[in-house]
C-alpha cells in the first residue's frame, strides 16, 4: 500500500512508497504563512535527487524543500523574478525556476540555493512550467507563445514544441 503525502495549501498529492514511511506522523505538510514550513502561493512542485519534495512559492518568492517522509522543511531559499511559478530539479540537484512578469526568465540555482544563471531568450514571453531533460536541456512552457521552448544548457533557444 502506498502512502499519499498531501499539501492542503497547493492541493498537491505525492504518493510515497511503503518503505521508509513508518515514522510519518501526518500525511499533510505546509500551511498558509511566511515562516519555515509555511507555504504561500505554492505554484510548482518537483522531487530532488534525494527524493525530497521541492515547492516554489509565488507569494513568498522562494523554493522550500521538504522531507518526503516526515513533511518538515529541510531548507528554503529566495528566488528572483516577479512571479515564480515553474520548478524542476536536474540530475545534479540544481533547481530550475521559471518566472513571468516584468523580470521573466528561467533561473538555475545550486543545490544550496545560490543563483547560478539567468536565461531569457529573445523569443521568451511568459514562461510558466519547467522541466529538465536527462541530458540537461530545459523546457519552459510559454503561455503567450502557446508552446514550450526547448533550451540548450546555456539557455539558448533550440526550437518551439507544439507550435
Amino acid at each position: 500500500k502506498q502512502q499519499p503525502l498531501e499539501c492542503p495549501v497547493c492541493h498537491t498529492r505525492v504518493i510515497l512508497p511503503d518503505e521508509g514511511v513508518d515514522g510519518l506522523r501526518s500525511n499533510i505538510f505546509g500551511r498558509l504563512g511566511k515562516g519555515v514550513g509555511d507555504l504561500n502561493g505554492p505554484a510548482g512542485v518537483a522531487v530532488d535527487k534525494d527524493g525530497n519534495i521541492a515547492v516554489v512559492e509565488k507569494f513568498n518568492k522562494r523554493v522550500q524543500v521538504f522531507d518526503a517522509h516526515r513533511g518538515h522543511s529541510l531548507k528554503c531559499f529566495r528566488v528572483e523574478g516577479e512571479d515564480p511559478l515553474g520548478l524542476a530539479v536536474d540530475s545534479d540537484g540544481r533547481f530550475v525556476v521559471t518566472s513571468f512578469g516584468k523580470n521573466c526568465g528561467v533561473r538555475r540555482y545550486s543545490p544550496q540555493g545560490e543563483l547560478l544563471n539567468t536565461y531569457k531568450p529573445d523569443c521568451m514571453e511568459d514562461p510558466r512550467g519547467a522541466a529538465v531533460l536527462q541530458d540537461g536541456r530545459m523546457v519552459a512552457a510559454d503561455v503567450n507563445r502557446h508552446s514550450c521552448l526547448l533550451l540548450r544548457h546555456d539557455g539558448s533557444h533550440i526550437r518551439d514544441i507544439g507550435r
Side-chain angles (χ1 to χ4, degrees), residues 9-110:
V9 180
C10 62
H11 308 291
T12 301
R13 288 174 58 102
V14 177
I15 304 298
L16 301 173
D18 267 347
E19 56 274 359
V21 295
D22 293 336
L24 188 65
R25 291 186 324 239
S26 171
N27 64 342
I28 297 174
F29 71 97
R31 60 199 167 277
L32 181 61
K34 296 179 183 179
V36 173
D38 296 343
L39 297 170
N40 192 356
V45 63
V47 178
D48 72 11
K49 64 181 184 170
D50 297 321
N52 298 311
I53 300 165
V55 180
V56 64
E57 300 174 66
K58 179 179 177 180
F59 301 119
N60 285 336
K61 295 186 186 326
R62 67 183 178 187
V63 169
Q64 192 163 186
V65 180
F66 293 88
D67 177 278
H69 300 288
R70 299 214 183 334
H72 65 270
S73 179
L74 299 172
K75 65 181 170 184
C76 63
F77 57 90
R78 306 287 299 162
V79 295
E80 294 184 16
E82 188 176 339
D83 288 308
L85 284 181
L87 176 65
V89 182
D90 71 15
S91 60
D92 293 323
R94 297 175 297 201
F95 299 90
V96 174
V97 178
T98 59
S99 61
F100 74 99
K102 192 168 31 173
N103 192 13
C104 75
V106 177
R107 291 172 178 82
R108 184 179 292 159
Y109 296 86
S110 73

Side-chain angles (χ1 to χ4, degrees), residues 2 23 40 82-84 99-100 120 129 134 136 145 154-155 158:
Q2 294 182 325
N40 192 356
E82 188 176 339
D83 288 308
S99 61
F100 74 99
K120 187 177 188 271
Q134 287 181 332
R145 292 179 63 85
D154 65 2
I158 298 171

Side-chain angles (χ1 to χ4, degrees), residues 85-156:
L85 284 181
L87 176 65
V89 182
D90 71 15
S91 60
D92 293 323
R94 297 175 297 201
F95 299 90
V96 174
V97 178
T98 59
S99 61
F100 74 99
K102 192 168 31 173
N103 192 13
C104 75
V106 177
R107 291 172 178 82
R108 184 179 292 159
Y109 296 86
S110 73
Q112 295 75 34
E114 298 169 32
L115 178 63
L116 300 173
N117 312 96
T118 299
Y119 309 114
K120 187 177 188 271
D122 291 339
C123 62
M124 185 174 282
E125 296 177 21
D126 196 3
R128 302 290 177 108
V132 179
L133 303 176
Q134 287 181 332
D135 65 6
R137 293 179 295 162
M138 299 170 285
V139 181
D142 195 309
V143 173
N144 285 353
R145 292 179 63 85
H146 306 287
S147 67
C148 293
L149 306 177
L150 181 60
L151 308 174
R152 290 183 182 87
H153 300 80
D154 65 2
S156 61

